[in-house]
C-alpha cells in the first residue's frame, strides 16, 4: 500500500469529523447567510495569507535528502502566491470591506483565536518539530477544498444571489484544484522515511481538528 493511501486511511476518522460539522454540511447545501459566508472568507484570508510564507519556511528547513521536495515546494509557491487577494476580492464582491479585513490581524478584530492557533501550530511544526509535518496541513486544506468547495460555492451563489466573482477562492480551490491533489499524492509516495511518514500522519490529525475549530468559531459567531 502506498504511503498516500496509508495517510488517508489513518486520518479518515478525523476527516469525517471535520466533514460532518454543521457549518460544512450547511455550506454544501447552500444553507448559510451572507454574514456567515463573509465570516468564513475573513478567516480564510487570515490563514491563506500565510500559505506562501509557510511553504518558504518549510522549504528552507528541509534537509539535503529532500532536495527533490524543495523543488516541488517551489512549484507550490508559484501556484499559491497571491491567493489571499482572491479572498479579499470575494469579500468586496459580497459587500464587505476588504481593506478592513486586510488590516485586522488580531483576535479582537478579524482573525479568530482558532485561526491564529492553526497558523501558529504550522509554523511551530516547521521550525521546532519537523518541516515534513507541514504536509499534514496541505492534506487537510487541499483535500477538504477539493471535496466541498465547488459544490458549496455553486449552492451558496444561488441561495444568496451573489455574482460568480464572489467565489473565486472557493471555485479555484474546488474541482479545478484536483490536479494539486494528484501532485500531492505523488510527493507523499516519495516520502519513505518511517519517522517522517508518522509525523505527517500525526500532523494531519491535528490539522483536521484545528481547521474544524475555525468552522466551529464561524458558526458560533453567527448565532
Amino acid at each position: 500500500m502506498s504511503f498516500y493511501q496509508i495517510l488517508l486511511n489513518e486520518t479518515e476518522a478525523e476527516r469525517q469529523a471535520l466533514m460532518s460539522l454543521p457549518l460544512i454540511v450547511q455550506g454544501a447545501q447552500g444553507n448559510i447567510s451572507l454574514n456567515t459566508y463573509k465570516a468564513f472568507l475573513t478567516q480564510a484570508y487570515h490563514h491563506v495569507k500565510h500559505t506562501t510564507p509557510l511553504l518558504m519556511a518549510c522549504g528552507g528547513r528541509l534537509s539535503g535528502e529532500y532536495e527533490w521536495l524543495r523543488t516541488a515546494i517551489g512549484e507550490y509557491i508559484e501556484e499559491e502566491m497571491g491567493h489571499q487577494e482572491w479572498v479579499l476580492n470575494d469579500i468586496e464582491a459580497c459587500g464587505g470591506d476588504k481593506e478592513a479585513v486586510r488590516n485586522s490581524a488580531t483576535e479582537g478584530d478579524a482573525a479568530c483565536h482558532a485561526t491564529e492557533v492553526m497558523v501558529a501550530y504550522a509554523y511551530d511544526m516547521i521550525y521546532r518539530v519537523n518541516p515534513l509535518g507541514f504536509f499534514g496541513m496541505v492534506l487537510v486544506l487541499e483535500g477538504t477544498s477539493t471535496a466541498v468547495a465547488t459544490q458549496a460555492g455553486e449552492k451558496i451563489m444561488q441561495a444568496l444571489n451573489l455574482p460568480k466573482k464572489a467565489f473565486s477562492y472557493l471555485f479555484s480551490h474546488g474541482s479545478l484544484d484536483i490536479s494539486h491533489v494528484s501532485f500531492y499524492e505523488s510527493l507523499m509516495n516519495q516520502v519513505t522515511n518511517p519517522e517522517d511518514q508518522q509525523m505527517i500522519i500525526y500532523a494531519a490529525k491535528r490539522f483536521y481538528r484545528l481547521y474544524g475549530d475555525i468552522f466551529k468559531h464561524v458558526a458560533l459567531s453567527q448565532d
Side-chain angles (χ1 to χ4, degrees):
M1 185 182 296
S2 70
F3 171 58
Y4 177 72
Q5 191 58 54
I6 292 172
L7 174 60
L8 294 185
N9 292 348
E10 291 291 321
T11 58
E12 179 61 20
E14 289 77 13
R15 179 182 182 278
Q16 290 301 324
L18 173 67
M19 299 303 290
S20 64
L21 289 175
L23 185 60
I24 292 183
V25 174
Q26 292 163 7
Q29 299 169 344
N31 186 27
I32 64 172
S33 69
L34 177 59
N35 284 340
T36 299
Y37 179 52
K38 288 192 290 186
F40 159 75
L41 289 173
T42 297
Q43 299 313 313
Y45 170 74
H46 283 290
H47 69 76
V48 170
K49 70 181 181 181
H50 289 279
T51 302
T52 297
L54 283 166
L55 285 166
M56 289 178 171
C58 180
R61 296 286 292 180
L62 291 174
S63 61
E65 67 182 296
Y66 283 109
E67 188 63 35
W68 59 270
L69 186 54
R70 199 183 340 264
T71 300
I73 286 174
E75 295 184 41
Y76 263 122
I77 291 171
E78 188 175 352
E79 287 285 335
E80 295 294 328
M81 193 170 290
H83 284 197
Q84 71 273 14
E85 295 298 324
W86 297 1
V87 182
L88 291 177
N89 291 339
D90 288 348
I91 290 171
E92 185 174 54
C94 290
D97 186 342
K98 74 175 187 179
E99 294 307 320
V101 173
R102 187 199 303 275
N103 296 321
S104 58
T106 65
E107 178 187 348
D109 294 312
C112 75
H113 179 265
T115 303
E116 291 186 353
V117 170
M118 185 180 76
V119 171
Y121 185 82
Y123 281 110
D124 185 66
M125 175 61 66
I126 290 169
Y127 283 110
R128 184 182 64 86
V129 185
N130 184 335
L132 269 294
F134 172 68
F135 286 91
M137 184 181 190
V138 177
L139 173 72
V140 173
L141 298 185
E142 296 277 14
T144 305
S145 296
T146 303
V148 300
T150 296
Q151 177 186 352
E154 291 174 347
K155 294 286 187 179
I156 297 168
M157 182 170 62
Q158 294 171 7
L160 299 180
N161 195 29
L162 289 170
K164 188 174 183 179
K165 66 179 181 179
F167 297 89
S168 57
Y169 172 66
L170 282 182
F171 286 156
S172 68
H173 288 74
S175 58
L176 297 177
D177 205 31
I178 197 165
S179 62
H180 279 197
V181 176
S182 297
F183 183 51
Y184 176 85
E185 177 179 358
S186 70
L187 294 179
M188 291 302 95
N189 285 338
Q190 294 177 64
V191 177
T192 58
N193 183 300
E195 292 184 2
D196 290 337
Q197 289 179 341
Q198 287 304 307
M199 183 53 65
I200 294 169
I201 293 170
Y202 173 88
K205 289 174 177 283
R206 295 298 183 266
F207 279 113
Y208 271 119
R209 179 175 177 177
L210 291 166
Y211 194 40
D213 287 345
I214 296 174
F215 284 94
K216 291 176 183 177
H217 166 83
V218 171
L220 288 172
S221 70
Q222 301 304 306
D223 286 345

